[in-house]
Every structure is written in structure tokens, then in C-alpha cells.
Amino acid sequence: MDNTFSGGNAHVVVQAQNVSMSQPVASLPAPAMLLTAPDDFVDRNEGRAWFNAITADLPSRRSPLSIVVTGAAGVGKTALVLHSLAGRLGEFPGGHFFADMSRRGLGDARDVSDVLADFLSELRIPRDEMPSGLEARAARFRSLTSAEPCVVMLENVVNPGQVLPLVPGHPASLVVVTSRFGLSGLRAGPHKVNFLRLDVLNDAACAELFQQVAEEAGEFDDEPLRTVIGACAGLPGAVRIAGARAADPLDGGIRSLAGRLAAGRSALEVLTMSDGDISMRLVFEDSYRSLDAATARGLRALGLQPTEDFSDELVAALGGTGETGDQVWRRLLEANLLERAAVGRCRMISLVHQYAKERAYAEDSPAEHAAILSATADWYLWRAGAVAYRVSKRWRWGALFADPARLRGVFENEQQALDAFAADEAGAASVVELAFKAGWFEKVCQLVEALREFYFRRKRHVQWIALCEMAVEAAELLKDDLVLARMHYELAFAFLDRGTEADLDAARRHYELARKAAKCAGHARTVSSALEGLGQVALEQGAATMAISLFQQALAAIKNIDHPRGRALLTYHLGHAYSAAGLHQEAAEALLRARELFATLPDAETPGRIAPDSYNEARSLTRYGQARIAADRADEAVEQLESIPDLFEKCDAPKEEADALLVRGDALAACGRDDRARQDWQAALAMYVRIRSDRAADARKRLVGADGSATTQGQ
């Protein structure tokens, strides 16, 4: 055995057959890579409470906990996470890791292998011992972080694949992800992921944050502060920029900012630092550049919309045909450029909407803008038409209504249609105005005709009348007598429905203009409708004899055309007019005839099938009952009114049902059947109270008169 040495210097030499040596292993460093929490931080109490509750059981976990905080650009995701972790970093002695997963922009997802190389370097792994592959690096990272809990914060994650390789090894560790994307693919991973979507701040919190950043005191009621905060759209990032500008002596303070906004300067322009390096426009630019071409085009289309609130169907329609439109809608939600407003609806933060509009004007041609507006108008026309179809089967001008199949399956019933369209009303009204400015006068008239049923049921008279007046002007420019007649008719109907003394005069004037134009167009149906409206105005103004004549003329006008519903309605109106004129026998005969006509209406969509109108059957019988009571023939009224409950079972009309019960009670009382009369009045009172109708007082008065004391029902 040769034990000689040559060359160099030897220090400690151990010579033995069996040697056991031990040396203390150097402990791994604990990286401290996290950003510091911003000094200015407000609100977010709910978010921090959620964070604390989710992380409360970390020490007892069997696998690392993952949290994803998503939300729009500038909403404060990073600030919330850093503030939630502040004061708790001692729970993670294994180290605090941080990486920006798209530091060159959201369109350029950072390579996870490079991030692992940074983490392993922080753990002092020699460069020549660094594994080369992603899986090997991830395994080494898990191994080195398995001894003690650590926290990993991944900012601006672009896709789910960037997360799993960066999960540490210790089961009490925490991974916190921030992203402008929904990252729903993480839900399919091996471990449960907890999601928190961060919403914008309210105005009070924004004002508090602004004052902290600007170091400028002031009351929230100050007009300049309200103006600036409103422009920030609840985004803390925008508030910080506004506060910084207000604090800059060269910028003139908050009043200067508010003045620029009030003068019409773009909020995106105002929310840009003077050197241009910090800007909300740049923040949104990053999100925009990450979109594929179809989704970017859909975002620009939404930027041209007159409102910031949209139906899911409109988003999909503007995004493209078929599956493409659905994908655009989903990707915009996933990117947090849209957010859920309610079931079936999305909204866009106002600053995002402004940015989308900027991009549309920068990238798309005027012809493309016109195509988007046309598609938008067509969508609102279809949607309003579907509401109109559910509310009434009356005849309407326009090609859309010639094909009921397009409208039939949109809504299940009238109430659903009216409720759904309430959120679309502002957009529809704005589109009518935009179409008028674009010179699309026929489209304006079609939209207004389709909108009538919604406004009629919801009694939105101011907006309704304004749009009808615009439609009349559009029809005059079209120089089409039939269209002009229809628009005068729609405006007259709106005035009649509002019903003030001045409105009745305006209604009469426009009905006359409608009749004149319809006569020139040779359109008997609209001539009849205008005469019907004139008869209703006459009734409202107490001219019953004139009303009788007008209704008779209206019936004569449709003598030679197939219009069974029109005949039924006119016969009903004629019975009402006879009653108002004191011609009770004629009234009774006309109203029973009207009931018969409503009961045998043919189905407009299924030849040979009967489609009874139970609602108008019941109304006809109610008026018949009033006419018989007025003629001292209450017994005949009771006989016919017995079928009232059966008719109202087929339609949801509590006000009209209560009216009918009130009349039947009157007829029963006139016949000396007081007990049954009280039952009907009591039932009518309960319905009036439920729908908050002023007619509850009429029912109470009858009950007091019958009993001599007030009823307790509905008190």
C-alpha cells in the first residue's frame, strides 16, 4: 500500500482502514424576494378577511395552499396580497419567493424554467449543479423547500401552466397568484385552488386613497374631488396616478385635473403622468396586446357601443358568427376586460370602455365603424321585436315581424321578456339616436315601432315620446306615406297613454296626421287604427257620441280586409262608448259580441287553430257587467261574470282581475246577495293591496258600507 504524497502541501491527514467523518451541513438561505406593501392602502377589508380565513389552517395542511386573485388591470390585486401577507411573513421561515410571470408584457409569458433558475439561485445552488430541464428544476425546488414552509407570489400570470412547477414542497407553504386572466384551467389541477375576484373600489374608498396619495385634505362633497374620482372608475391604479398628478405643483392640483375632465379631455389622457411613463393607457395596452385578433376586434366593437353594459348575446353577436362570437365573449371575461354584471349580462369598466373606443378609432375604418353600429342596431331591433311578440300579436310594419319564427323562441313569456329588456333599454334608446345621426331613417322607424310594447307596459313616457318624435322626423325625411303614418300613430299612442289634457290634444293631432298619411298610402289597417285612436281620445275628453261615430268609421275601414283582432277591439271600444253615452242596451250587445270575437280569434301562426284572448274576453265581460248594472239589469251581469275566475286563470293580470271582482261584487249586492258580494270585494281588496293599487280604497269603501265598520284585510 503506497501512502506517499507528492506535490503541494498536506494539512490534516487521516490514515486508517475505516474512517467515519461528519461535517455540519450549511443551512439553506431564506430568500426574501417579496415586494414591500404600498404605504397607501384603503378598504379591502372583505378581501383581507377572506385571505385570512382561507390561510387559517396552513400549519395543518397536507399540501401547499394555492390562492388566485384576479381582476381588471389597476384594480389593486398586488397591493391586496402584499398587505395581506404583511405581518405574517414569519410563518414562512423557508423563504419568500416572488416572480413577475410576464414582465415583458402579457403577450409574452415568462418561461417557467427561467423563473425556477432564479429561485434556485436564491437558494444558493451552484450554477454548475443547476438542473437543465423544467421537470428536474421543479423537482429540485420542491426538494429544497420541503423542510420549512415558504410563500411563493407569482404576479401577472398569463396561463395555468406557469403555476404548478413553482409550487414548493412543504405542505404548509402558500402560493399566491395575481392575474388579469381568470385562469379557470387551474381548477382542473390536482389540488384545490381558491379564487378571489377583486372588484373596483367604491367612491368613498377612492377619495380616501386619493387624499393619501395627493396629501391634499378635502371633503368628499367637493365637486372637483367627485369629478376626478368619477373618472378613475374605482381603479386604485388610476386613483394613484390622479393623486400623484394632483400632488405635482406643476400640474395645478385637483382643480386643474377636474377642470380638464369637465372641459371634455379624455380620462385616459388626464390619468397619465407628465413624462408619459406611468399611464392607465399603458396598463390597458398590455392587456390588449395579449388578445388574439378576433377578441381584440370584439373589444373594439364594444368600445363603440353607447353604453358600458351589455347582454351576453350582444357581446357574442359583435364578436363573430357562431362559435367565434361565444369564444370572444368568454375570452374577454377571462381577461377581465369584461366583468359579470348579472345573469346573462356583462359590463365594462368605464376606463376600459374608453380605451376600447380609442383603439377602435385608431385601428378601424369609418366603414367598419358603420358596420358595427348597423349590427348593433339589428341586434336591438331583434331583441325589442322579441319582446313585442311576447306582449302583443298586433300587426306591425317592418320586415322583422313578417317572420315570427325569428322572435318566437327568444323569451318564454311576457314577464321574462319585459324584465330582460329593462337592462337593454338605455342601449336601445342610444342606438336609435345613433342610427338617426347616421341617416338610417328606416332603421330608426323600425326600432321605435318594435320598442312600443316595452314602453307601453313599463310606462316610460318621457323617453318613449322623445324617440317617437325622432321617428316622425325620420319618416318625414324618408318621404314614405305608410312609414310616416305608422310613426305619427306611435307618437299619438304614447301621448294618449300618458293622458294629460295637453297630451290628449297632441294625441288627437298626430292621429289625424296618421290617418291622412295612411289614406295617401292606401293602407286601410292604419287608417282604421288612427280612427280607433281618435275615438279613444274623444272618450277621454267626454265626447261619447263622437267616439261612437269614430269607432264605427274604424270598423268600416277594415270591412274588406282580414283583421279579426281589429274588429274585436273596435267592437269592445264601441261598447264602451255606447255605455258612456247612456245607451246601455247597445253597450251590452256590443260587449257580448266583443267577448265572442275575442274567444274565437284565429291563431295568426297556425291556420285553422283558434287562439282565444282570455285577457280581453275578461275585460269585455267586466264592461258588460258595468253596463248591465247601470241599466238596472244586475242579474244578467252576475250570470255572465261567473266565468271571470276561469278566464283570469289563463292570464296574469291581477289589476284587471280585481276590477272584475269589484264589479261582480257590485252586481251581487244589487241582487241582494250580500255575503257573496263581500267575498268578491274582499278578494279584490287583497289583490289591490298586493299590487299597491290606489283602487284598494274603492274596495274598502264598499266593505265599510256593507259592514258598517272597516275591514282588517290589507290594513
Side-chain angles (χ1 to χ4, degrees):
M1 185 175 184
D2 187 0
N3 292 326
T4 61
F5 288 91
S6 64
N9 297 313
H11 294 280
V12 179
V13 177
V14 178
Q15 183 175 355
Q17 187 172 357
N18 296 298
V19 178
S20 176
M21 300 181 65
S22 64
Q23 179 179 346
V25 178
S27 61
L28 291 172
M33 302 174 68
L34 285 184
L35 305 174
T36 58
D39 292 331
D40 305 308
F41 187 77
V42 299
D43 195 20
R44 299 305 190 199
N45 295 327
E46 290 185 7
R48 294 177 69 181
W50 178 90
F51 191 98
N52 290 335
I54 290 293
T55 57
D57 66 342
L58 272 176
S60 61
R61 289 185 59 83
R62 292 181 295 177
S63 62
L65 174 65
S66 295
I67 291 175
V68 177
V69 181
T70 69
V75 81
K77 301 179 289 294
T78 300
L80 171 67
V81 171
L82 292 173
H83 268 273
S84 298
L85 288 172
R88 298 186 56 180
L89 294 179
E91 300 175 25
F92 307 103
H96 317 139
F97 298 87
F98 174 86
D100 186 341
M101 303 304 289
S102 55
R103 59 188 180 189
R104 290 190 296 180
L106 294 182
D108 186 8
R110 191 175 175 193
D111 187 85
V112 181
S113 184
D114 290 348
V115 176
L116 281 165
D118 290 346
F119 286 1
L120 292 174
S121 294
E122 288 289 323
L123 292 168
R124 300 294 188 268
I125 299 301
R127 191 166 296 277
D128 59 354
E129 295 182 12
M130 184 81 68
S132 59
L134 172 61
E135 291 185 6
R137 287 182 179 182
R140 177 67 65 87
F141 178 65
R142 287 194 300 273
S143 175
L144 294 174
T145 54
S146 62
E148 294 182 300
C150 55
V151 60
V152 177
M153 180 175 176
L154 306 176
E155 188 169 50
N156 294 322
V157 169
V158 176
N159 59 66
Q162 291 182 297
V163 177
L164 188 58
L166 298 171
V167 175
H170 196 282
S173 294
L174 174 65
V175 179
V176 187
V177 171
T178 70
S179 180
R180 299 180 195 180
F181 302 100
L183 303 182
S184 57
L186 287 174
R187 301 178 190 274
H191 305 297
K192 177 176 172 57
V193 179
N194 300 276
F195 287 83
L196 171 65
R197 191 187 185 285
L198 207 57
D199 291 325
V200 296
L201 293 173
N202 61 36
D203 286 351
C206 286
E208 181 184 350
L209 178 60
F210 176 89
Q211 290 168 334
Q212 289 180 12
V213 176
E215 299 180 350
E216 181 171 327
E219 296 296 327
F220 183 56
D221 286 340
D222 289 348
E223 185 63 31
L225 183 58
R226 287 203 306 272
T227 300
V228 172
I229 294 306
C232 292
L235 294 175
V239 175
R240 291 181 186 280
I241 294 174
R245 291 205 65 173
D248 186 343
L250 299 180
D251 260 332
I254 187 173
R255 295 190 181 280
S256 175
L257 290 180
R260 291 175 217 172
L261 290 166
R265 298 280 287 275
S266 163
L268 288 173
E269 180 182 345
V270 172
L271 295 172
T272 300
M273 297 301 293
S274 56
D275 57 11
D277 289 340
I278 300 177
S279 165
M280 288 306 298
R281 185 182 283 115
L282 292 176
V283 171
F284 298 140
E285 183 82 9
D286 199 18
S287 294
Y288 178 69
R289 294 304 174 195
S290 73
L291 302 176
D292 62 86
T295 306
R297 188 167 54 250
L299 182 75
R300 297 195 301 272
L302 293 174
L304 294 174
Q305 298 308 300
T307 65
E308 297 157 5
D309 178 91
F310 323 103
S311 166
D312 290 351
E313 288 90 345
L314 176 59
V315 177
L318 294 176
T321 57
E323 189 175 339
T324 300
D326 291 335
Q327 290 175 346
V328 166
W329 162 76
R330 185 174 184 85
R331 287 168 184 163
L332 288 172
L333 283 170
E334 182 78 8
N336 281 297
L337 291 166
L338 280 179
E339 58 184 17
R340 270 271 167 247
V343 176
R345 299 199 67 78
C346 307
R347 63 169 165 255
M348 190 175 280
I349 294 171
S350 61
L351 284 175
V352 178
H353 192 247
Q354 289 181 40
Y355 177 79
K357 186 174 183 178
E358 277 191 3
R359 297 315 315 158
Y361 279 102
E363 298 184 36
D364 300 324
S365 67
E368 288 171 315
H369 297 166
I372 289 168
L373 175 57
S374 179
T376 303
D378 288 343
W379 185 86
Y380 277 109
L381 175 59
W382 165 76
R383 188 84 162 170
V387 175
Y389 172 85
R390 279 297 171 194
V391 173
S392 169
K393 300 300 188 294
R394 74 179 181 91
W395 181 87
R396 300 172 183 88
W397 163 80
L400 175 68
F401 297 103
D403 182 14
R406 290 188 59 199
L407 308 174
R408 187 181 299 123
V410 180
F411 301 110
E412 293 180 5
N413 53 56
E414 176 181 324
Q415 193 59 51
Q416 182 201 30
L418 292 170
D419 290 346
F421 196 78
D424 291 316
E425 178 199 355
S430 298
V431 164
V432 173
E433 296 173 9
L434 291 173
F436 184 85
K437 291 176 182 177
W440 301 341
F441 302 130
E442 183 170 324
K443 195 160 285 190
V444 168
C445 296
Q446 289 178 355
L447 278 162
V448 169
E449 178 119 342
L451 286 166
R452 191 263 277 265
E453 258 58 58
F454 174 79
Y455 283 119
F456 174 51
R457 286 290 189 266
R458 290 301 173 95
K459 306 302 180 187
R460 308 279 178 86
H461 292 104
V462 173
Q463 183 71 72
W464 184 11
I465 289 171
L467 293 179
C468 286
E469 289 173 336
M470 189 182 301
V472 167
E473 186 176 350
E476 289 171 343
L477 293 168
L478 277 174
K479 301 186 184 305
D480 183 311
D481 285 328
L482 176 56
V483 179
L484 183 60
R486 297 303 304 178
M487 295 308 105
H488 276 300
Y489 170 76
E490 296 294 352
L491 178 55
F493 187 89
F495 277 126
L496 175 62
D497 193 61
R498 189 165 67 176
T500 68
E501 186 174 342
D503 287 333
L504 292 176
D505 290 336
R508 184 177 63 252
R509 183 171 67 255
H510 285 286
Y511 277 133
E512 287 286 7
L513 291 169
R515 178 170 67 165
K516 180 180 178 182
K519 189 174 181 181
C520 290
H523 199 263
R525 185 187 291 263
T526 303
V527 169
S528 177
S529 296
L531 286 165
E532 175 188 4
L534 286 167
Q536 290 176 297
V537 171
L539 266 181
E540 290 292 330
Q541 294 182 326
T545 302
M546 180 182 294
I548 291 170
S549 174
L550 288 165
F551 291 137
Q552 288 172 335
Q553 292 177 57
L555 277 166
I558 57 172
K559 180 179 180 180
N560 297 318
I561 66 173
D562 182 21
H563 190 10
R565 177 171 291 276
R567 289 187 182 83
L569 284 168
L570 285 168
T571 304
Y572 168 81
H573 292 319
L574 188 58
H576 184 191
Y578 279 136
S579 186
L583 301 172
H584 301 305
Q585 184 58 37
E586 291 86 343
E589 292 172 0
L591 290 165
L592 284 181
R593 174 61 180 157
R595 189 268 170 98
E596 180 184 350
L597 292 172
F598 283 124
T600 56
L601 284 177
D603 190 324
E605 298 175 24
T606 308
R609 180 181 173 185
I610 299 299
D613 183 344
S614 300
Y615 172 78
N616 278 311
E617 279 189 73
R619 289 179 67 210
S620 299
L621 287 180
T622 301
R623 287 221 176 270
Y624 169 82
Q626 292 171 326
R628 290 288 82 190
I629 292 170
D632 293 327
R633 305 289 291 272
D635 55 329
E636 296 177 14
V638 170
E639 181 181 352
Q640 290 291 338
L641 291 171
E642 290 295 349
S643 61
I644 283 290
D646 293 336
L647 292 172
F648 279 110
E649 277 187 5
K650 304 171 187 176
C651 56
D652 182 22
K655 167 65 166 55
E656 289 75 10
E657 184 173 2
D659 292 343
L661 289 171
L662 206 66
V663 171
R664 191 173 72 175
D666 293 345
L668 288 164
C671 294
R673 300 166 67 179
D674 295 339
D675 289 343
R676 277 207 58 199
R678 276 192 295 272
Q679 290 176 11
D680 277 352
W681 292 334
Q682 195 78 46
L685 174 60
M687 290 183 186
Y688 286 138
V689 168
R690 177 165 58 86
I691 63 174
R692 296 181 175 86
S693 170
D694 291 340
R695 292 218 64 192
D698 295 334
R700 288 193 180 98
K701 187 182 296 184
R702 285 166 169 78
L703 288 165
V704 168
D707 299 341
S709 61
T711 178
T712 59
Q713 176 77 24
Q715 294 290 315

